[in-house]
Amino acid sequence: MNPYTGEVVGVAARATAAQALEVARAAGQFRCELAAYERADILSRCAELIERAAAEFARSICRESGLAYKDGTKEVSRAVAQLRFAAEEAKRITGEAISTDVTPTAGRRMAVAFREPVGTVLAITPFNRPLNQVVTKVAPAIAAGAGVIVKPSERTPLTATLFVRTLLGAGVPERMISLVTGDPITVGETLVTSGMVDMVTFTGSATVGRRIAQRAGMMRTAFELGDSGALIVLEDADLAAAAAEAAAGAFATSGQSCRGVKRILVQDTVADDFAALLRAAAERLRVGDPLDPATDIGTLIDERAAHAVDGRVREAVAGGARLLCGGRRAGAQYWPTVLDHVDRRCELVREETFGPCAPIVRVRDFEDALECVNDSRYGLQAGLFTQRLDYALHAARTLQVGTVVLNGGPQFESPNVPFGGVKDSGLGREGIRYAIQEMTRIKTLVL
């Protein structure tokens, strides 16, 4: 269903548990015979095909998810970049030679440690980036020579289907990739507990991640879960740049990003000036028809999600927060919202709020900000605006997160850097090269 118009925009099969098991059984029989250059060529061709069909992919993203066309086109560009980088990394999977003459008993022999595909990878993907979240998991799996089963979100299966068809058109062997659509329990949990997949890579909520972890057993797993993404703004910061990053991180993809800005910790001495800049940035954004190229913010995934965001905003205001702009809902749409004097204990900032909200929490100083960031069950990425290098180094050592971004927001991403979190934000790392390491295992030959 299109969240903006309510119209049916496509149909996907609701697989049964028996069908899911049949797919897993067939996928488990796949053994990759493709050379590294052949896998690289397939990924490169897929990138070219998607680039040619960029408008079709962007429209598909917008129609099924309600994201603005601007967000859709950015997502397509990111997917193309990931595929091209994965093509390069497919040719860089190496091992090492190890001499065993380190003890009298081993003798002078040579061990060769090399990487082989982990087996069948089950990729379970969320609704918020219907293309890029699939590519993030499938591209490194193909590069590694692993077979992959894609279980996309039941809310946004159409773009995933379009991508898999494109990948098949680029020459990937049919048995190397499977797509199963349906609900999380009947399909997702059946596949996780089937005993016929070798790795689960999941992006979604911490609650579902824990459920999968409990059921996966002795299997390789990688989890990219939620966050209460923090952006620290200190009194020596470039406030205009910080406000621009805060707006981009809080409002892009309608605020539905695990690495987005979820709370802005601003030193009290500059909080008034910063709040005025952020409010102005939010008020410039246009909310409207997702397919209109001029729209900045489309809808949330559905009306229930918008209700949930509105409830947390109202709770924060009742707790003393000042609503500077936004706080308005119409159907599945929610207007970009800026709040100041937000209580750091309220649910809006302690939990992952998936909506276009920019809550400002005032802090006394740098140490207070660090304490506030770490007082969370999440730890994915954090941003820090300051001119002091010693603060940046101290933050990198102190913050309990996977990545610290200096003079940038937690939304930073690049296909060649490791991405992942600590605590309830997940296990393992994405980023093409690092995902390939997760999707391969080391085997040793002693000569």
Side-chain angles (χ1 to χ4, degrees):
M1 304 285 285
N2 182 321
Y4 181 69
T5 64
E7 67 177 324
V8 174
V9 295
V11 176
R14 187 186 296 277
T16 64
Q19 288 171 326
L21 290 172
E22 183 183 344
V23 167
R25 197 172 294 112
Q29 297 171 4
F30 174 78
R31 295 295 179 271
C32 187
E33 302 294 336
L34 296 171
Y37 80 89
E38 292 174 309
R39 302 196 301 273
D41 286 348
I42 288 168
L43 291 165
S44 294
R45 279 197 296 273
C46 186
E48 290 173 13
L49 292 171
I50 290 176
E51 198 167 44
R52 289 180 205 161
E56 180 185 3
F57 273 93
R59 282 194 299 271
S60 177
I61 291 166
C62 297
R63 292 174 70 209
E64 69 175 340
S65 73
L67 293 178
Y69 190 78
K70 288 179 179 179
D71 289 324
T73 55
K74 288 176 185 174
E75 186 174 336
V76 173
S77 297
R78 291 187 184 108
V80 168
Q82 292 227 65
L83 286 161
R84 287 187 171 141
F85 194 75
E88 296 174 18
E89 289 297 320
K91 296 182 279 189
R92 297 175 184 157
I93 302 172
T94 59
E96 61 178 331
I98 308 163
S99 177
T100 65
D101 59 351
V102 294
T103 68
T105 54
R108 189 180 292 252
R109 305 189 75 173
M110 183 64 70
V112 180
F114 59 94
R115 289 190 171 274
E116 65 178 12
V118 72
T120 303
V121 175
L122 170 60
I124 304 177
T125 61
F127 66 81
N128 57 317
R129 288 186 175 177
L131 174 62
N132 205 43
Q133 291 283 14
V134 180
V135 172
T136 294
K137 300 181 184 305
V138 171
I142 300 296
V148 58
I149 302 170
V150 179
K151 173 19 186 117
S153 169
E154 66 281 5
R155 297 178 179 185
T156 55
L158 304 179
T159 307
T161 305
L162 183 59
F163 166 64
V164 171
R165 285 178 175 154
T166 304
L167 194 55
L168 289 166
V172 73
E174 287 187 9
R175 281 179 170 249
M176 194 172 194
I177 188 161
S178 306
L179 178 83
V180 190
T181 52
D183 69 80
I185 302 298
T186 303
V187 174
E189 198 159 300
T190 296
L191 288 169
V192 168
T193 59
S194 68
M196 290 182 278
V197 298
D198 303 287
M199 176 180 178
V200 177
T201 173
F202 169 78
T203 297
S205 71
T207 301
V208 177
R210 283 185 178 277
R211 182 183 176 99
I212 291 173
Q214 290 166 357
R215 286 158 174 74
M218 295 291 288
M219 178 196 309
R220 185 82 61 89
T221 55
F223 296 104
E224 198 277 281
L225 309 175
D227 195 23
S228 55
L231 176 63
I232 300 171
V233 181
L234 299 180
E235 61 185 1
D236 67 334
D238 179 336
L239 294 185
E245 278 290 289
F251 304 134
T253 59
S254 300
Q256 301 171 117
S257 174
C258 57
R259 69 176 98 205
V261 172
K262 308 293 194 309
R263 49 185 173 146
I264 310 161
L265 313 180
V266 186
Q267 196 162 354
D268 193 66
T269 51
V270 294
D272 288 343
D273 291 339
F274 176 84
L277 290 168
L278 183 55
R279 175 182 180 175
E283 289 177 336
R284 286 193 293 269
L285 297 174
R286 177 174 173 178
V287 181
D289 183 347
L291 284 171
D292 183 346
T295 294
D296 297 300
I297 296 179
T299 74
L300 275 67
I301 189 62
D302 55 31
E303 189 170 351
R304 185 176 63 176
H307 265 298
V309 172
D310 191 48
R312 287 187 180 178
V313 168
R314 291 176 182 276
E315 179 194 42
V317 171
R322 297 179 189 172
L323 182 65
L324 302 185
C325 67
R328 174 185 167 198
R329 185 189 69 80
Q333 288 190 305
Y334 203 79
W335 269 248
T337 299
V338 178
L339 302 101
D340 195 2
H341 296 278
V342 176
D343 188 328
R344 65 183 66 182
R345 296 164 298 181
C346 75
E347 195 174 27
L348 180 67
V349 294
R350 287 200 67 82
E351 295 300 324
E352 181 179 48
T353 298
F354 240 39
C357 295
I360 298 171
V361 176
R362 297 192 175 213
V363 294
R364 295 186 305 276
D365 52 25
F366 179 48
E367 290 298 331
D368 187 31
L370 297 180
E371 224 175 278
C372 187
V373 174
N374 287 340
D375 183 24
S376 171
R377 68 189 182 101
Y378 297 110
L380 188 54
Q381 299 199 152
L384 168 64
F385 270 86
T386 182
Q387 302 305 314
R388 293 185 54 170
L389 183 58
D390 60 329
Y391 277 5
L393 295 174
H394 184 55
R397 288 191 297 265
T398 305
L399 290 177
Q400 298 165 13
V401 296
T403 301
V404 178
V405 183
L406 179 60
N407 291 324
Q411 69 267 25
F412 176 83
E413 61 180 314
S414 180
N416 65 329
V417 300
F419 172 65
V422 299
K423 299 192 281 190
D424 273 2
S425 285
L427 297 168
R429 290 294 180 266
E430 293 186 338
I432 299 296
R433 180 161 69 91
Y434 303 91
I436 288 172
Q437 291 175 357
E438 301 277 354
M439 295 175 179
T440 53
R441 57 192 173 205
I442 296 175
K443 181 177 280 185
T444 306
L445 170 66
V446 180
L447 303 172

